[in-house]
Amino acid sequence: MTEHHHGGHGNRHHGQPRRSGKSRNTPRIAEPPVAVLIGMPGAGKTRVGGEVAQMLGVRFTDSDEVIEQRAGMRITEYFSEYGEPKFRELESQVIADLLRTAGGIVSLGGGAPMTESVRRNLQKYISQGGKVVYLQADPQEAMERARRGGNRPMLAGDAAARWRALYEERDPVFDAVANVHVHTRGSSPQHAARKVMDMVMEHDVHVTGTSITPYDVRIGVGTSNHLAEVLGDRPVRIALIHTAPVQRHSDRARALLRQAGYEVSDVLIPDAEAGKTIEVANGIWQRLGNEGFTRSDAVVGLGGGAATDLAGFVAATWMRGIRYVNCPTSLLAMVDASTGGKTGINTPQGKNLVGSFYTPAGVLADMRTLETLPNDIFIEGLGEVAKSGFIRDPEILSILENHAQQLREFNGSTFLGSPLEDVVAELIERTVKVKAYHVSNDLREAGLREFLNYGHTLGHAIEQIEHFKWRHGNAVAVGCVFAAELSSILGYIDQDLVDYHRQLLGSLGLPISWSGGDWDSVLALMHRDKKARGNTLRFVVLEGIGHPIHLEDPPIEAVHEAFERIRSAH
């Protein structure tokens, strides 16, 4: 399925290792490295690379050691005997081989990325899902280590002056070549290695398409470390919009922002749908005005889907659009609200009726935030995950089936480091890819993107009738059963697939029936749904798993019958 999706590769590309304690001496399998470390002489590439390899239970390879083995002499000797051009040629050949076959973690010599053929090979490696990590050490620390290290022909003579000159020349090139940047200032090798490992284990999905400024959704533990990188150096002021339940995570984001030199305005909003109102938005606009926010400043939305929806709406409307970054803290927000560029607020007449399409500069789905997520709110998010399986990626459904019990018993306090962490990371990545596929091809919901609304026509009506006491993912789960029933009544699918909806969603702990509202109220709200055209009812139904279609103006008796079927467990 996923070869059709727009988007980056998940880290399981190249046989991404689990966090295991396997020996570093396991037999070598010829495959590309998990990650390649670059950096200035003295940045700690060998030491940190060795630590990362040990943590991941994979092999570590230092390209300089391989060069010395091939040359049959030390690099300093090779340099003086054959000169730098000949050395760079040999180095380039060795690195090309390592990028194809080394596996594990590889560190490159300080000047390697300055050779054009090496840069080309690194770009090819990145395009196939590889991670090139620039270890950005403090110049003073790196210079001191390089001076002590020896065997560095490029630092002959006045080592400090030579190092500074090399840094001026190489830093912009390294910065451009790498797709992962890790600052190691003041860090022990172990701490730096932990940072590298977290970033290497990330799953990145690239979202692009016509009328979209491309951006990345980064999924993993510690992805919030990318905050300053995604915001860039243009903004001076950042409005950090968040809710009270995620205080621990907003404290960390605030610290990261201040550390990076931004002025932070802390904006606390009511939790869940109560935060998505014109009154709340207006209060924030007033603050931005009073605090002198300009067009080059930015917004960070941190919290569940309601918080990221509101933050995006504020960013889209302030001075006709300023930069914003989403930091979702719930499973639902990670797979749904934070990606795709839909921003909005609710009105008394309905959900998300006021809003705009406005894409973020980036989405940082830091799985560390799931540690504090209550079980019921985690399970709610599985409603949107399952929906994505039904409309496009059947592998999602297989993963949900195979891990239903562990997912249903989710416990944030034991989640990180457990086998479930990898399962959830893959579910998030696959669900985001489904969303990215639809959004990339149809940002403004003219046709294809509407398939993402499978289960939503009734789901939104349930939320409205229940005054948002029903959570979105739960309402969507019931909505999916309703849409499957409608598909079956009209002959598009057989009853087995409807039963499969009930069985799978039920096994995850999601609701599959609802009896809270009368038919007339539900029908009126479905007519008001965003997919409705004039007085015509419009649904997304299935012709089979992975095959959604638009259904215009179905017989009202069939819609009523499907509604009656979800009022009981059927």
Side-chain angles (χ1 to χ4, degrees):
M1 284 299 316
T2 50
E3 68 272 14
H4 299 301
H5 298 158
H6 290 252
H9 299 264
N11 286 342
R12 282 178 179 62
H13 199 78
H14 302 336
Q16 180 68 18
R18 299 284 189 256
R19 301 186 193 200
S20 69
K22 287 184 298 184
S23 157
R24 288 166 68 185
N25 300 318
T26 44
R28 184 189 288 273
I29 298 166
E31 62 179 9
V34 172
V36 175
L37 271 54
I38 63 172
M40 289 294 294
K45 298 182 294 293
T46 305
R47 178 72 196 277
V48 172
E51 293 278 353
V52 174
Q54 202 160 19
M55 287 173 177
L56 291 173
V58 296
R59 182 180 293 274
F60 174 68
T61 307
D62 183 333
S63 68
D64 283 352
E65 284 181 12
V66 179
I67 290 165
E68 289 186 340
Q69 283 163 12
R70 282 210 198 165
M73 62 179 79
R74 285 170 69 77
I75 285 172
T76 39
E77 293 165 17
Y78 195 93
F79 238 81
S80 56
E81 194 162 326
Y82 298 104
E84 188 182 352
K86 202 78 185 149
F87 168 74
R88 294 300 178 198
E89 205 178 300
L90 172 61
E91 180 181 55
S92 182
Q93 287 166 5
V94 166
I95 290 169
D97 291 344
L98 292 176
L99 291 176
R100 284 195 305 274
T101 63
I105 304 294
V106 172
S107 78
L108 303 189
M114 300 305 288
T115 306
E116 194 183 337
S117 58
V118 171
R119 286 201 300 278
R120 271 201 312 273
N121 281 323
L122 287 173
Q123 277 156 2
K124 184 179 171 190
Y125 164 71
I126 286 172
S127 75
Q128 293 167 340
K131 304 272 183 176
V132 174
V133 181
Y134 179 17
L135 279 190
Q136 294 172 293
D138 174 67
Q140 222 38 57
E141 291 174 10
M143 216 183 299
E144 184 56 33
R145 275 198 297 267
R147 197 178 54 73
R148 291 197 308 263
N151 196 25
R152 300 183 192 273
M154 295 300 286
L155 297 181
D158 180 349
R162 189 84 189 92
W163 193 98
R164 274 194 295 271
L166 286 174
Y167 179 75
E168 295 297 322
E169 183 192 352
R170 292 176 178 178
D171 177 62
V173 176
F174 290 4
D175 191 53
V177 166
N179 61 344
V180 176
H181 299 73
V182 178
H183 293 271
T184 63
R185 181 177 185 166
S187 298
S188 67
Q190 292 79 9
H191 184 241
R194 170 68 58 180
K195 272 169 111 170
V196 171
M197 187 182 76
D198 284 343
M199 289 190 177
V200 164
M201 297 294 284
E202 278 176 14
H203 303 240
D204 295 344
V205 180
H206 190 60
V207 185
T208 183
T210 49
S211 78
I212 291 178
T213 305
Y215 64 94
D216 289 317
V217 182
R218 296 178 181 237
I219 304 150
V221 176
T223 55
S224 51
N225 288 327
H226 292 291
L227 204 41
E229 180 193 324
V230 180
L231 285 165
D233 53 14
R234 234 180 122 214
V236 173
R237 296 167 199 81
I238 307 294
L240 176 61
I241 299 174
H242 65 95
T243 57
V246 295
Q247 191 68 48
R248 177 172 143 191
H249 310 306
S250 61
D251 287 348
R252 175 171 161 66
R254 195 180 310 105
L256 287 166
L257 291 167
R258 289 199 171 131
Q259 218 175 340
Y262 301 110
E263 290 173 25
V264 184
S265 294
D266 198 71
V267 183
L268 183 67
I269 61 167
D271 192 28
E273 300 297 328
K276 277 179 63 172
T277 67
I278 191 70
E279 291 76 21
V280 173
N282 187 42
I284 299 173
W285 290 324
Q286 293 198 29
R287 271 196 68 177
L288 299 184
N290 292 336
E291 292 173 24
F293 270 68
T294 68
R295 185 163 279 167
S296 61
D297 294 322
V299 165
V300 171
L302 187 143
T308 56
D309 275 1
L310 175 83
F313 181 67
V314 167
T317 49
W318 182 253
M319 296 199 167
R320 297 188 179 86
I322 63 173
R323 195 171 183 82
Y324 85 107
V325 176
N326 274 334
C327 297
T329 60
S330 70
L331 178 61
L332 183 78
M334 288 177 185
V335 299
D336 183 36
S338 64
T339 303
K342 269 189 182 180
T343 75
I345 54 174
N346 303 331
T347 66
Q349 288 71 37
K351 192 175 175 188
N352 295 327
L353 292 177
V354 176
S356 68
F357 293 97
Y358 190 67
T359 49
V363 177
L364 304 177
D366 191 337
M367 288 174 57
R368 196 177 277 145
T369 61
L370 298 180
E371 277 186 302
T372 55
L373 200 65
N375 172 273
D376 60 329
I377 299 180
F378 174 83
I379 285 172
E380 170 218 0
L382 296 173
E384 283 285 352
V385 174
K387 174 213 76 180
S388 299
F390 288 129
I391 64 168
R392 183 156 178 90
D393 182 0
E395 184 57 29
I396 289 174
L397 304 178
S398 303
I399 296 167
L400 290 173
E401 271 187 82
N402 294 337
H403 300 279
Q405 187 179 343
Q406 299 102 292
L407 290 163
R408 196 173 64 241
E409 293 170 357
F410 170 85
N411 178 345
S413 63
T414 57
F415 169 63
L416 292 184
S418 75
L420 194 59
E421 186 189 322
D422 276 331
V423 173
V424 173
E426 185 171 0
L427 285 171
I428 296 171
E429 181 191 3
R430 284 182 172 276
T431 306
V432 168
K433 281 185 172 179
V434 171
K435 183 140 194 180
Y437 166 77
H438 291 85
V439 169
S440 299
N441 291 294
D442 178 21
L443 176 67
R444 296 185 180 275
E445 205 165 39
L448 180 71
R449 182 173 181 158
E450 286 190 340
F451 291 147
L452 292 169
N453 287 314
Y454 183 62
H456 283 57
T457 305
L458 178 69
H460 283 157
I462 291 173
E463 287 179 274
Q464 191 81 5
I465 288 167
E466 296 285 354
H467 304 292
F468 301 110
K469 290 188 177 69
W470 262 58
R471 300 196 73 91
H472 178 72
N474 293 343
V476 166
V478 175
C480 287
V481 176
F482 165 79
E485 290 283 12
L486 184 57
S487 311
S488 167
I489 291 164
L490 295 172
Y492 292 106
I493 61 173
D494 58 26
Q495 187 59 39
D496 284 357
L497 184 46
V498 185
D499 295 341
Y500 177 65
H501 275 66
R502 291 176 181 278
Q503 174 267 315
L504 178 65
L505 295 167
S507 73
L508 295 166
L510 287 158
I512 51 174
S513 62
W514 174 73
S515 52
D518 64 89
W519 166 241
D520 290 338
S521 308
V522 167
L523 186 61
L525 284 166
M526 290 198 297
H527 268 293
R528 215 183 281 160
D529 187 74
K530 295 190 298 295
K531 286 174 299 306
R533 300 281 190 268
N535 290 322
T536 304
L537 276 180
R538 192 171 151 92
F539 294 93
V540 176
V541 295
L542 293 184
E543 282 189 315
I545 288 177
H547 296 284
I549 56 168
H550 290 115
L551 180 63
E552 294 268 2
D553 215 15
I556 200 68
E557 303 77 32
V559 180
H560 190 202
E561 170 64 15
F563 176 70
E564 287 302 322
R565 290 186 184 183
I566 60 101
R567 289 175 73 73
S568 63
H570 191 61

Coordinates of all heavy atoms in Angstrom, one line a residue, residues 27 43 48 61 134 181 266 309 319 321 339 342 357 359 375 393 467 491 540 549 564-565:
P27 N 26.7 -11.4 13.1 CA 27.2 -11.5 11.7 C 26.7 -10.4 10.9 O 25.5 -9.9 11.0 CB 26.6 -12.9 11.2 CG 26.2 -13.6 12.4 CD 25.9 -12.6 13.5
A43 N 34.5 16.2 17.3 CA 33.1 16.3 17.6 C 32.6 15.1 18.4 O 31.5 15.1 19.0 CB 32.2 16.4 16.4
V48 N 30.7 8.7 20.3 CA 29.2 8.8 20.4 C 28.6 7.7 19.5 O 27.7 7.0 19.9 CB 28.7 10.2 20.0 CG1 27.2 10.2 19.8 CG2 29.1 11.2 21.0
T61 N 30.9 1.1 12.7 CA 32.0 1.1 11.8 C 32.6 2.6 11.7 O 31.8 3.5 11.5 CB 31.6 0.7 10.4 OG1 30.9 -0.6 10.5 CG2 32.7 0.6 9.4
Y134 N 24.4 15.2 11.8 CA 25.5 16.2 12.0 C 25.6 16.4 13.5 O 24.8 17.0 14.2 CB 25.2 17.5 11.3 CG 26.2 18.6 11.4 CD1 27.5 18.3 11.9 CD2 25.8 19.9 11.1 CE1 28.4 19.4 12.0 CE2 26.7 20.9 11.2 CZ 28.0 20.7 11.6 OH 29.0 21.7 11.8
H181 N 20.1 16.9 13.0 CA 21.1 17.8 13.7 C 21.1 17.6 15.2 O 20.0 17.7 15.8 CB 20.8 19.2 13.3 CG 20.9 19.5 11.9 ND1 19.9 19.1 11.0 CD2 21.9 20.2 11.1 CE1 20.3 19.5 9.8 NE2 21.4 20.1 9.8
D266 N 3.2 32.6 27.1 CA 2.5 31.4 27.5 C 1.0 31.6 27.5 O 0.4 32.5 28.2 CB 2.9 31.1 29.0 CG 2.6 29.6 29.3 OD1 3.3 28.8 28.8 OD2 1.7 29.4 30.1
D309 N -6.0 22.5 16.7 CA -6.9 23.1 15.7 C -7.0 24.6 16.0 O -7.0 25.4 15.1 CB -8.4 22.6 15.9 CG -8.6 21.3 15.1 OD1 -7.7 20.8 14.4 OD2 -9.7 20.7 15.2
M319 N -2.5 38.4 11.2 CA -1.8 39.1 10.1 C -1.8 38.3 8.8 O -0.9 38.2 8.1 CB -0.4 39.4 10.5 CG -0.3 40.4 11.6 SD 1.3 41.1 11.8 CE 0.9 42.5 12.9
G321 N -1.7 35.2 8.4 CA -0.9 33.9 8.4 C 0.5 34.0 8.9 O 1.3 34.7 8.2
T339 N -2.1 17.0 11.6 CA -1.6 16.9 10.2 C -2.7 17.2 9.2 O -3.8 16.9 9.4 CB -1.1 15.4 10.0 OG1 -0.2 15.1 11.0 CG2 -0.5 15.3 8.6
K342 N -5.9 21.5 8.4 CA -7.3 22.0 8.7 C -7.2 22.7 10.0 O -6.7 22.1 11.0 CB -8.2 20.8 8.8 CG -8.9 20.5 7.5 CD -10.0 19.5 7.9 CE -10.8 19.0 6.6 NZ -11.8 18.0 7.0
F357 N -7.9 26.3 5.7 CA -6.8 25.3 5.3 C -5.5 26.1 5.4 O -5.3 27.0 4.6 CB -7.0 24.8 3.9 CG -8.3 24.0 3.8 CD1 -9.5 24.5 3.3 CD2 -8.3 22.6 4.2 CE1 -10.6 23.7 3.2 CE2 -9.4 21.8 4.1 CZ -10.6 22.4 3.6
T359 N -1.3 25.1 6.3 CA -0.5 24.0 6.8 C 0.6 24.5 7.7 O 1.1 25.6 7.6 CB 0.2 23.3 5.5 OG1 0.8 24.4 4.7 CG2 -0.7 22.5 4.7
N375 N -5.8 6.0 29.7 CA -6.2 4.8 28.8 C -7.3 5.2 27.9 O -7.3 4.9 26.7 CB -6.5 3.6 29.7 CG -7.1 2.5 28.9 OD1 -8.3 2.4 28.6 ND2 -6.2 1.6 28.4
D393 N -5.3 1.6 4.0 CA -4.1 0.7 4.4 C -4.5 -0.5 5.2 O -4.6 -0.4 6.4 CB -3.0 1.6 5.1 CG -1.8 0.8 5.4 OD1 -1.7 -0.4 5.1 OD2 -0.9 1.3 6.0
H467 N -23.3 17.1 23.2 CA -22.6 18.3 23.7 C -21.1 18.1 23.9 O -20.5 18.5 24.9 CB -23.3 18.9 25.0 CG -24.7 19.1 24.8 ND1 -25.2 20.1 24.0 CD2 -25.8 18.5 25.3 CE1 -26.5 20.1 24.0 NE2 -26.9 19.1 24.8
G491 N -25.9 -2.6 -0.9 CA -25.3 -3.7 -1.7 C -23.8 -3.5 -2.2 O -23.3 -4.2 -3.0
V540 N -19.5 9.1 2.8 CA -18.4 8.2 2.3 C -18.8 6.8 2.7 O -19.0 6.6 3.9 CB -17.1 8.7 2.9 CG1 -16.0 7.7 2.5 CG2 -16.7 10.1 2.5
I549 N -15.9 5.2 -1.5 CA -16.6 6.0 -2.6 C -17.5 7.1 -2.1 O -17.9 7.0 -0.9 CB -17.4 5.1 -3.6 CG1 -18.4 4.3 -2.8 CG2 -16.5 4.1 -4.4 CD1 -19.5 3.6 -3.6
E564 N -30.9 2.9 12.6 CA -31.6 2.0 13.5 C -30.7 0.8 13.9 O -30.7 0.4 15.1 CB -32.9 1.4 12.9 CG -34.0 2.4 12.8 CD -34.4 3.0 14.2 OE1 -34.4 2.3 15.2 OE2 -34.7 4.3 14.2
R565 N -29.8 0.4 13.0 CA -28.9 -0.7 13.3 C -27.8 -0.4 14.3 O -27.3 -1.3 15.0 CB -28.3 -1.3 12.0 CG -29.3 -2.0 11.1 CD -28.6 -2.6 9.9 NE -29.6 -3.2 9.0 CZ -29.3 -3.9 7.9 NH1 -28.0 -4.1 7.6 NH2 -30.2 -4.4 7.1

